[in-house]
Amino acid sequence: MQKEQKSWYKNAVFYEVSTRAYYDSNGDGIGDIQGLTQKLDYIQHLGVDCIWLLPIFPSPLIDDGYDISDYYNIHPDLGTIDDFKELVRETHRRGMRIIADLVINHTSDQCAWFKEAQANPRSPYHDYYVWSNTDQRYKDARIIFVDSETSNWAWSEDAQKYYWHRFYACQPDLNFDNPAVREEMKAVMRFWLDMGIDGFRADAVPYLIEREGTTCENLPETHAFLKELRKLIDDEYPGCILLAEANQWPQDLRQYLADGDEFHMAFQFPLMPRIYKALAKGDCSPIIDIMKMTPQIPENCQWCTFLRNHDELTLEMVTEEDRQFLWNFYAPIPRMRQNLGIRRRLAPLMDGNCQKVLLLNAILFSLPGTPIIYYGDEIGMGDNIYLEDRDGVRTPMQWDSSRNAGFSSAVEEKMYLPVIKSEQFTYSRINVASQQQDPHSLFNTIRKMLAIRKQNPLMAGGAVEFIENAQVPALLFLKRCDEKNILFALHNLSEQAIPVDLRAHIRDGQPLLDLMNEKTFQGCTVTLPPYAFIWLKVL
Ligand code: GLC
Ligand code: CA
């Protein structure tokens, strides 16, 4: 793999995969690393440049693997270190890259470090965690899992003290004031980077350090440590990347890119809910407003944009009013809501309307950044809100219409989660095999959109201009350009057709290429059907 091509992430397509959910190679009902390796051709065919692998480490799986009990191993259900090395090799052989999850804020309470820490206050592991004799410290830190936790402190019977946790009580936070913890996490990074991976998606980075009188988020000490991790990458693993999961407001989020010396990338959290709001209201201003509020980023950085991921669709970074609106619109049934978000997949959020699914993807792909696709959303997979926690959006990948969606040969009872069988989204209708055969399927259309994006680098990195028309709020009209090319991306967020007059933007008689239809035309108006998009390249 060409590690020298240092800015590969600036114009790439990422794909988020749960190994457990992807493909079961040995028929035990659980997807595994060998299974994922067998499906790499499919991922490559979609047009993916980099795979982000959800946690694959030993874990009691209370938080689906984000509760790690051994940082230097693979969960036995998923395979072995050798399987992992083969996965990395095979990914690289196809010209793709792969990053892993780096969960540094907390461990599982089943981690040997925590067990030792609780059992023996004189053990060096005791100081790996954050202890207190009262549960009254750091009162200004919010609770994240509001549905299940009432405090960020939990009582340890063994230690006879409280320990700090920002997520589930079974996920004690590590103490980043302790140099030994810092060194341990660097060792973890080296351990996996030495196996050839191309970097990490770093989990929950705002919460590393606690200080009295603060929200315990985004602290300067936290940034200082994250810069050390970046230095490790630059010094020892050039070409590898760090991608930040920091669910924060634009100004705070921007800090994680610092002066180009902290993260290479950060998820564009503020944008995501506003895309949904714009569609719901038939008004593009939420998108334009947040883009204008989003600070410039250093040359060597890039946003990672997304519509959905493995978590609830978070509404943490919107106003209370917007949250209520989005909940009412997209999560009318209480069971659809979770914490401060919505536990639904993309296609069900759009009520199975492919046109709208494509429109949202088109918006994502025509804005600056590197988009990430959540496994299954490329075929419009459904969800199951009656499963626990966020499991409803983590069900088995639907490969074909055979039993268990072609995901596993196990008996149904052994499946790690049931496949989607609801009338609207049943796997017998929504699956990879049928969509690959149909040139107009969601899969093939998204594939084509990604290919166009690749051929037009200005879509990822070019300048963006919003052409606003107060009379037509439902029209999201973007002009993207670099030194050589100009592209117009037009999106109709309403159920009425919109005629668009391009005269002010092109010379008379100047030909335009409709990239999706591969047709050239010379007219100066186009009509956008309801919920449609058109990408036009100025020739
Ligand atoms: C991140 C993960 C989420 C997990 C949490 C705690 O937000 O995306 O799935 O529950 O961190 O590790
Ligand atoms: Ca298996």
Side-chain angles (χ1 to χ4, degrees):
M1 200 78 249
Q2 296 267 304
K3 287 265 155 86
E4 310 82 66
Q5 209 194 313
K6 273 186 106 175
S7 54
W8 61 269
Y9 53 90
K10 286 180 60 181
N11 181 10
V13 174
F14 279 45
Y15 187 69
E16 174 184 2
V17 179
S18 160
T19 305
R20 190 168 293 276
Y22 215 59
Y23 185 64
D24 173 17
S25 72
N26 62 353
D28 65 356
I30 305 170
D32 42 59
I33 295 175
Q34 288 194 14
L36 172 56
T37 305
Q38 290 174 31
K39 295 296 185 184
L40 286 173
D41 286 339
Y42 166 77
I43 298 176
Q44 181 187 19
H45 182 67
L46 179 60
V48 171
D49 301 291
C50 182
I51 296 170
W52 157 31
L53 217 54
L54 288 164
I56 47 167
F57 318 102
S59 161
L61 303 178
I62 309 294
D63 188 10
D64 206 17
Y66 282 98
D67 45 336
I68 299 177
S69 53
D70 178 359
Y71 280 78
Y72 300 98
N73 228 319
I74 301 273
H75 195 293
D77 290 346
L78 306 183
T80 63
I81 292 268
D82 280 341
D83 293 340
F84 183 74
K85 287 183 180 161
E86 197 203 349
L87 170 67
V88 175
R89 242 187 343 264
E90 288 299 311
T91 304
H92 287 169
R93 200 164 66 75
R94 288 168 177 78
M96 297 187 289
R97 290 177 164 90
I98 184 164
I99 62 172
D101 233 292
L102 182 69
V103 187
I104 56 179
N105 179 65
H106 47 266
T107 71
S108 159
D109 61 359
Q110 300 305 305
C111 182
W113 307 337
F114 190 66
K115 288 186 179 169
E116 176 73 19
Q118 290 201 97
N120 178 5
R122 277 175 305 279
S123 149
Y125 289 110
H126 189 73
D127 200 31
Y128 264 42
Y129 296 90
V130 182
W131 300 99
S132 168
N133 291 321
T134 92
D135 59 358
Q136 297 301 306
R137 290 167 67 202
Y138 311 141
K139 280 294 205 195
D140 299 325
R142 69 188 164 120
I143 293 167
I144 297 168
F145 286 165
V146 287
D147 284 0
S148 41
E149 301 297 331
T150 50
S151 167
N152 287 323
W153 292 105
W155 177 251
S156 162
E157 244 348 287
D158 287 349
Q160 289 291 303
K161 282 193 246 184
Y162 292 96
Y163 63 88
W164 180 248
H165 63 89
R166 289 308 298 270
F167 296 92
Y168 287 126
C170 67
Q171 292 167 300
D173 270 41
L174 285 164
N175 172 17
F176 277 91
D177 282 321
N178 178 356
V181 168
R182 296 164 173 250
E183 284 317 304
E184 184 85 53
M185 282 305 154
K186 290 181 188 170
V188 168
M189 285 175 69
R190 292 189 179 100
F191 181 82
W192 295 100
L193 288 164
D194 283 341
M195 280 183 240
I197 61 167
D198 302 282
F200 295 101
R201 174 266 191 189
D203 182 67
V205 287
Y207 321 112
L208 300 186
I209 297 218
E210 301 74 36
R211 290 289 179 264
E212 203 55 72
T214 74
T215 60
C216 299
E217 298 186 15
N218 314 319
L219 297 183
E221 295 90 333
T222 293
H223 284 290
F225 174 63
L226 292 168
K227 288 197 173 80
E228 286 179 32
L229 301 187
R230 170 58 179 267
K231 188 163 184 320
L232 182 157
I233 296 270
D234 284 350
D235 291 351
E236 302 171 37
Y237 304 92
C240 291
I241 60 153
L242 291 173
L243 162 60
E245 189 221 15
N247 188 357
Q248 300 290 331
W249 290 97
Q251 295 299 335
D252 294 325
L253 176 57
R254 169 66 182 80
Q255 312 255 310
Y256 289 86
L257 303 173
D259 295 323
D261 56 354
E262 204 167 311
F263 283 90
H264 300 78
M265 307 182 85
F267 288 116
Q268 238 291 18
F269 274 102
L271 173 65
M272 183 276 295
R274 290 167 180 86
I275 297 179
Y276 289 95
K277 181 181 168 190
L279 180 66
K281 298 232 169 191
D283 178 351
C284 65
S285 57
I287 297 175
I288 298 181
D289 293 348
I290 199 73
M291 290 301 292
K292 287 186 175 164
M293 263 175 70
T294 303
Q296 288 295 310
I297 59 175
E299 211 280 315
N300 61 345
C301 292
Q302 183 59 295
W303 294 116
C304 194
T305 58
F306 63 102
L307 295 170
R308 285 298 290 114
N309 61 25
H310 65 291
D311 288 324
E312 68 273 31
L313 189 168
T314 167
L315 301 175
E316 281 165 303
M317 297 301 141
V318 298
T319 62
E320 181 57 36
E321 189 191 341
D322 280 350
R323 183 177 310 133
Q324 293 302 333
F325 170 77
L326 289 163
W327 259 337
N328 289 336
F329 193 89
Y330 289 110
I333 300 172
R335 184 79 201 173
M336 293 171 171
R337 304 179 186 184
Q338 185 181 26
N339 297 319
L340 294 186
I342 302 174
R343 53 172 140 202
R344 302 184 75 191
R345 267 189 182 263
L346 178 59
L349 282 165
M350 297 299 114
D351 204 14
N353 181 327
C354 280
Q355 184 83 25
K356 290 187 187 173
V357 170
L358 288 172
L359 177 65
L360 288 197
N361 276 293
I363 294 172
L364 195 75
F365 300 162
S366 32
L367 287 168
T370 277
I372 183 157
I373 295 171
Y374 183 47
Y375 88 89
D377 281 350
E378 75 277 20
I379 56 167
M381 251 173 74
D383 54 31
N384 180 350
I385 54 168
Y386 299 102
L387 296 176
E388 285 310 306
D389 200 343
R390 291 148 289 175
D391 285 353
V393 301
R394 301 172 180 181
T395 60
M397 181 69 176
Q398 296 167 192
W399 294 104
D400 58 41
S401 59
S402 70
R403 199 168 58 90
N404 296 332
F407 159 81
S408 171
S409 62
V411 293
E412 226 179 287
E413 291 77 1
K414 280 184 78 180
M415 294 278 285
Y416 82 96
L417 282 177
V419 294
I420 299 294
K421 289 185 193 162
S422 68
E423 210 182 324
Q424 199 179 6
F425 294 101
T426 173
Y427 69 87
S428 55
R429 224 166 36 76
I430 293 174
N431 60 63
V432 169
S434 68
Q435 295 207 12
Q436 284 193 320
Q437 278 159 21
D438 172 5
H440 303 294
S441 66
L442 195 58
F443 173 85
N444 276 318
T445 312
I446 290 181
R447 179 168 178 262
K448 180 164 193 183
M449 291 160 80
L450 293 176
I452 289 173
R453 200 174 193 273
K454 243 326 144 39
Q455 288 151 14
N456 294 279
L458 59 77
M459 292 180 81
V464 58
E465 189 186 322
F466 296 97
I467 299 175
E468 292 173 77
N469 179 345
Q471 262 81 61
V472 199
L475 173 66
L476 175 65
F477 185 160
L478 307 179
K479 181 177 174 185
R480 304 295 316 270
C481 51
D482 59 16
E483 307 81 52
K484 289 190 222 96
N485 294 298
I486 298 176
L487 187 144
F488 299 119
L490 313 172
H491 313 84
N492 181 353
L493 303 173
S494 76
E495 56 192 5
Q496 261 97 48
I498 302 181
V500 186
D501 188 342
L502 295 167
R503 259 171 306 185
H505 312 288
I506 51 172
R507 288 195 315 272
D508 221 11
Q510 190 166 20
L512 295 164
L513 173 64
D514 179 334
L515 291 167
M516 285 301 285
N517 290 333
E518 295 161 51
K519 285 201 184 100
T520 307
F521 69 96
Q522 262 167 336
C524 43
T525 57
V526 284
T527 298
L528 276 173
Y531 299 114
F533 72 96
I534 303 184
W535 289 343
L536 297 171
K537 187 172 174 178
V538 180
L539 293 177

